[in-house]
């Protein structure tokens, strides 16, 4: 067995971060994600999900220890690790800046020093993976929000990362776009990609993730386990602001149902 199958894809130990204003961003997180595993990083807004993802690729300098395939994250290893880890930002407009869709998807491979023909082929393959074959000459800023997200994802996939870090990938998407993204991620799982996705979309997590890690208001880990086990614990989800009790009024009175915080579907 190779190294990647015997060591975690990501291992974090006592990871902490404090924002410049002194407020806590992360509070002593310790966890690991195995190669080929798809993990949902759950938490209400403001629990540190984005902060954690940015820490894992060195965008933010956190305290503690981070290892990627057994290699410590450090200034001298950062470039190599970033070749293996792709981060999808919550807002695709923060990630897209080239004239055309093909240029966006080819930028990464070119920046890694690949020949133009190889970069173009990698871009075409990535666009096909995300369902955007035929969009090569389109202008990114004229695309729909969901299409922009897929272009941003293609711009990461074209570099051939082993690990995908996704920040609210279904945020702002309509039901059809969300379903399309779920299909893409299921295909990427079959290709053996390791996925860590920050989200509070419980439907998305239930459809795509093997396991869930839950961050609480203290910016710490308050739960971890198989996805369905986490999602079936309504009291736990309610406690950590991932579900809520909602009062319904009927002609014969009012009753209360549990609602999950899904961006396009309520569960009764």
């Amino acid at each position: 067995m190779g190294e990647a199958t015997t060591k975690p894809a990501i291992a974090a130990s006592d990871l902490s971060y404090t924002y410049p204003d002194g407020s806590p961003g992360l509070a002593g997180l310790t966890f690991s994600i195995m190669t080929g595993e798809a993990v949902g990083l759950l938490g209400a807004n403001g629990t540190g999900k984005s902060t954690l993802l940015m820490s894992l690729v060195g965008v933010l300098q956190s305290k503690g220890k981070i290892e990627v395939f057994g290699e410590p994250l450090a200034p001298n290893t950062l470039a190599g690790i970033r070749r293996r880890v792709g981060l999808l930002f919550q807002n695709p407009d923060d990630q897209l800046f080239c004239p055309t869709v093909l240029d966006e998807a080819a930028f990464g491979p070119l920046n890694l020093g690949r020949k133009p023909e190889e970069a173009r082929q990698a871009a075409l393959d990535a666009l096909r993976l995300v369902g955007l074959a035929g969009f090569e000459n389109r202008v990114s800023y004229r695309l729909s929000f969901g299409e922009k997200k897929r272009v941003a994802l293609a711009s990461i996939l074209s570099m051939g990362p082993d690990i995908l870090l996704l920040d609210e990938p279904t945020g702002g998407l309509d039901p059809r776009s969300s379903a399309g993204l779920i299909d893409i991620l299921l295909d990427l799982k079959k290709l053996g990609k390791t996925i860590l996705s920050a989200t509070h979309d419980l439907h998305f997590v239930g459809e795509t993730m093997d396991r869930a890690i839950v961050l609480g208001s203290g910016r710490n880990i308050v739960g971890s386990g198989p996805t369905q086990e986490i999602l079936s614990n309504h009291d736990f989800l309610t406690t950590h602001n991932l579900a809520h009790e909602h009062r319904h009024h009927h002609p014969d009175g009012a009753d209360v149902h549990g609602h999950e915080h899904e961006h396009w579907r309520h569960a009764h």
Side-chain angles (χ1 to χ4, degrees):
M1 301 290 283
E3 180 184 60
T5 60
T6 58
K7 292 185 177 180
I10 297 173
S13 178
D14 198 24
L15 200 62
S16 299
Y17 181 78
T18 302
Y19 293 113
D21 65 1
S23 60
L26 301 172
L29 276 60
T30 296
F31 65 92
S32 60
I33 297 171
M34 301 309 294
T35 300
E37 192 177 22
V39 178
L41 182 63
L42 288 172
N45 290 336
T47 53
K49 302 188 301 297
S50 298
T51 301
L52 175 55
L53 294 187
M54 289 189 286
S55 295
L56 293 176
V57 289
V59 175
L60 297 178
Q61 306 301 313
S62 298
K63 295 181 179 179
K65 186 177 182 181
I66 298 170
E67 292 185 346
V68 178
F69 295 118
E71 185 171 32
L73 181 67
N76 64 316
T77 64
L78 188 57
I81 285 175
R82 285 180 175 173
R83 288 172 179 259
R84 305 192 70 178
V85 183
L87 172 62
L88 181 71
F89 294 135
Q90 184 172 352
N91 185 348
D93 288 326
D94 293 337
Q95 207 153 355
L96 304 178
F97 51 84
C98 293
T100 69
V101 168
L102 182 60
D103 291 330
E104 294 284 4
F107 179 84
L110 287 171
N111 200 45
L112 292 176
R114 299 181 66 175
K115 296 178 180 178
E117 307 81 28
E118 294 176 348
R120 184 177 188 277
Q121 189 57 55
L124 292 173
D125 291 343
L127 290 171
R128 185 173 64 252
L129 269 176
V130 301
L132 291 180
F135 278 62
E136 292 82 6
N137 295 320
R138 299 276 293 274
V139 179
S140 297
Y141 71 82
R142 291 181 177 171
L143 299 177
S144 70
F145 190 78
E147 289 167 344
K148 287 180 181 179
K149 282 215 169 186
R150 285 191 279 162
V151 173
L153 181 57
S155 73
I156 295 169
L157 294 175
S158 63
M159 294 184 284
D162 300 305
I163 300 172
L164 298 174
L165 306 178
L166 312 176
D167 194 356
E168 298 288 357
T170 58
L173 298 185
D174 59 36
R176 180 176 296 177
S177 297
S178 294
L181 181 63
I182 286 172
D183 289 340
I184 292 167
L185 292 184
L186 291 175
D187 287 340
L188 293 173
K189 283 179 64 177
K190 291 177 183 177
L191 293 175
K193 300 294 185 184
T194 301
I195 301 172
L196 177 61
S197 181
T199 185
H200 53 253
D201 180 351
L202 303 187
H203 170 70
F204 166 74
V205 171
E207 291 288 327
T208 58
M209 301 293 138
D210 308 313
R211 184 163 61 95
I213 296 172
V214 185
L215 299 185
S217 58
R219 280 74 171 174
N220 60 325
I221 295 175
V222 294
S224 176
T227 303
Q228 296 309 320
E229 181 179 302
I230 295 291
L231 296 186
S232 65
N233 190 340
H234 182 76
D235 289 342
F236 173 79
L237 295 176
T238 302
T239 297
H240 296 290
N241 202 27
L242 290 164
H244 66 280
E245 300 294 336
H246 188 78
R247 182 173 296 273
H248 291 271
H249 291 274
H250 303 288
D252 55 350
D255 57 8
V256 175
H257 301 276
H259 277 234
E260 294 158 356
H261 283 185
E262 298 169 1
H263 72 286
W264 59 268
R265 190 185 72 166
H266 277 310
H268 289 268

